[in-house]
Amino acid sequence: GSEADRLALQQMENALMAAAARGGSTTAPRFLEACDRLGRKYNSTAMRCLQMGEHAQALDLLQSAESLIAEGSAHPSLDGLKGLTYNNLGCYFRREGMPMEALKWLRQAHDIEQRVGQGGAARASTFLNLCAVYSLLGKHLDALGCAEEALSNLKIALRDGAAQEKTTVPGMERVDQASMVAIAYHNIAVEQEYLARYADAVASYRKALGVAEKQCGPKAQL
């Protein structure tokens, strides 16, 4: 990570220690809020490290986020952070070529998000990561189902005017919801092709291209 990331993390770690000293309890609202902020910073920095090839540092940061959740006595207010951390651990292990380990973390992220009613880009990101792992394992019907679930979550979020949060998806920098729609259509097409549903695959590729050109322009990364 950058020097700015290191300084920001140090400040947030100090804030957490101060909140612990003042509150005296790991379930005090101020302590839990500080945990959540720091845990999310650990996650965002970890994913930047992963994109830059700093894999060992990424894992250290994600494990720090895990430890924070334990410090907060796995309080329900940290469930969102837990789902995010487990999703990113799944992404990490997929990148490390360990699909079964990735699947373990992603299933846990999926279960947490389902329990707390998480939707939008975060939920879609978990489904896209699951899609990538199932595809690696040759489970293309499961992969297709996950890509379709990702698309469904994104369409609901966009229809409802949800905040345009950014999230990490396989093989990409952090992207917005509209770009994720194109990625979801592309993944659907890939899995349809694996399943020999060629006409469906062509239609899905065209949708992916149409969304990508409309949202990002013809020369964008997508």
Side-chain angles (χ1 to χ4, degrees):
S2 67
E3 184 62 27
D5 282 331
R6 279 190 285 275
L7 284 171
L9 284 169
Q10 190 172 23
Q11 287 177 343
M12 294 173 93
E13 285 164 353
N14 291 340
L16 181 67
M17 286 190 285
R22 281 196 304 271
S25 166
T26 56
T27 56
R30 187 172 288 178
F31 179 82
L32 291 169
E33 284 166 16
C35 268
D36 191 70
R37 279 194 300 273
L38 177 56
R40 289 177 186 278
K41 182 64 176 175
Y42 280 141
N43 272 274
S44 62
T45 308
M47 298 318 284
R48 273 198 296 279
C49 289
L50 197 57
Q51 293 285 353
M52 293 187 291
E54 298 170 0
H55 289 204
Q57 193 174 352
L59 182 59
D60 283 346
L61 288 161
L62 291 171
Q63 288 174 334
S64 294
E66 255 200 295
S67 298
L68 263 188
I69 294 161
E71 274 187 57
S73 307
H75 193 274
S77 67
L78 297 177
D79 278 347
L81 172 61
K82 189 188 288 188
L84 173 68
T85 303
Y86 289 3
N87 181 21
N88 287 340
L89 279 163
C91 190
Y92 168 83
F93 285 112
R94 182 187 63 80
R95 293 279 287 269
E96 287 291 289
M98 301 169 66
M100 291 306 297
E101 185 68 13
L103 190 58
K104 180 188 85 173
W105 290 104
L106 290 169
R107 280 176 169 161
Q108 288 184 80
H110 168 276
D111 291 349
I112 292 163
E113 290 167 354
Q114 191 168 44
R115 189 177 74 243
V116 302
Q118 173 79 60
R123 184 85 163 130
S125 172
T126 300
F127 276 120
L128 288 174
N129 281 321
L130 277 165
C131 171
V133 171
Y134 279 129
S135 192
L136 276 173
L137 292 169
K139 297 184 175 184
H140 297 296
L141 201 55
D142 289 329
L144 176 59
C146 288
E148 289 171 339
E149 285 284 357
L151 181 62
S152 174
N153 274 273
L154 288 164
K155 283 182 172 179
I156 291 167
L158 288 168
R159 184 197 68 202
D160 294 347
Q164 285 288 306
E165 64 206 277
K166 292 196 173 189
T167 190
T168 305
V169 297
M172 297 283 290
E173 299 291 342
R174 290 171 69 76
V175 294
D176 62 26
Q177 289 178 19
S179 302
M180 286 177 72
V181 171
I183 295 164
Y185 274 126
H186 176 268
N187 288 13
I188 287 168
V190 169
E191 299 311 319
Q192 287 169 331
E193 197 172 351
Y194 274 122
L195 293 164
R197 290 168 51 180
Y198 299 119
D200 289 341
V202 169
S204 297
Y205 278 127
R206 283 183 176 143
K207 286 178 181 174
L209 183 61
V211 172
E213 287 183 343
K214 180 181 177 184
Q215 297 295 336
C216 314
K219 294 184 180 178
Q221 182 187 11
L222 280 170

